[in-house]
Short mmCIF file of all heavy atoms in Angstrom, two decimals:
data_model
loop_
_atom_site.label_atom_id
_atom_site.label_comp_id
_atom_site.label_asym_id
_atom_site.label_seq_id
_atom_site.Cartn_x
_atom_site.Cartn_y
_atom_site.Cartn_z
N ASP A 11 134.89 82.15 104.19
CA ASP A 11 135.36 82.61 105.47
C ASP A 11 136.84 82.44 105.64
O ASP A 11 137.35 81.34 105.27
CB ASP A 11 134.64 81.89 106.62
CG ASP A 11 133.17 82.21 106.74
OD1 ASP A 11 132.85 83.40 106.41
OD2 ASP A 11 132.37 81.37 107.06
N GLU A 28 125.40 89.72 117.75
CA GLU A 28 124.31 90.54 117.31
C GLU A 28 124.81 91.62 116.35
O GLU A 28 124.20 91.87 115.32
CB GLU A 28 123.67 91.17 118.54
CG GLU A 28 122.52 92.13 118.26
CD GLU A 28 121.21 91.40 118.35
OE1 GLU A 28 121.15 90.37 118.99
OE2 GLU A 28 120.24 91.90 117.76
N GLY A 83 130.95 79.66 102.30
CA GLY A 83 130.03 79.80 103.43
C GLY A 83 128.60 80.04 102.96
O GLY A 83 127.67 79.36 103.41
#
Side-chain angles (χ1 to χ4, degrees):
Chain A
D11 292 327
E28 179 95 21

